[in-house]
Amino acid sequence: MLISLINYWDRNAVERLLAECMMADDERVREEVDRYLADDSRELQGTFIDGELAGLIGIRRGPGTEAEILHIAVQTRWRGRGIGAAMIGELRKCGGIETLQAETDREAVGFYSHCGFKISSLGEKYPGVERFSCKYT
């Protein structure tokens, strides 16, 4: 089950998990959490195991039933158990989202493909770094 993290009491847990998918310093992570709190088009939701934040997914809603995954992370010890795919499935089923997209690197393409996303290369957006568009309709 996904639960909104907007009013979640343990902001440090949210920031630690968000940092895992952002690969950014603490200041940038704090700024990103602040964006989720301030922007009504953004949602940050989490899933819990035994009362502990196990995974999170951050989206930006677009027009109609479209949304973009901005961040997705699962705690290292819970990875490989289908939690990320379950968060995407629940988001689509309960969130009223029909078209879901994400942009990622080569490392996460297999995850998105496994979840049923159509993958296309965006080419080398940064020197030596190929990026990919992932779209689920």
Side-chain angles (χ1 to χ4, degrees), residues 68-69 101-105 122 125-126 131-134:
E68 176 185 13
I69 296 174
Q101 58 187 27
E103 182 180 312
T104 194
D105 55 19
L122 297 171
K125 287 186 79 171
Y126 312 103
R131 299 290 290 175
F132 297 86
S133 171
C134 310

Side-chain angles (χ1 to χ4, degrees), residues 34-72:
D34 289 341
R35 279 189 206 96
Y36 279 108
L37 296 172
D39 186 343
D40 290 341
S41 70
R42 288 178 169 227
E43 298 174 20
L44 188 59
Q45 299 184 40
T47 190
F48 293 79
I49 297 175
D50 297 330
E52 181 181 4
L53 181 61
L56 63 74
I57 187 166
I59 64 166
R60 178 175 37 230
R61 292 215 180 240
T65 58
E66 296 179 12
E68 176 185 13
I69 296 174
L70 301 173
H71 302 98
I72 187 167

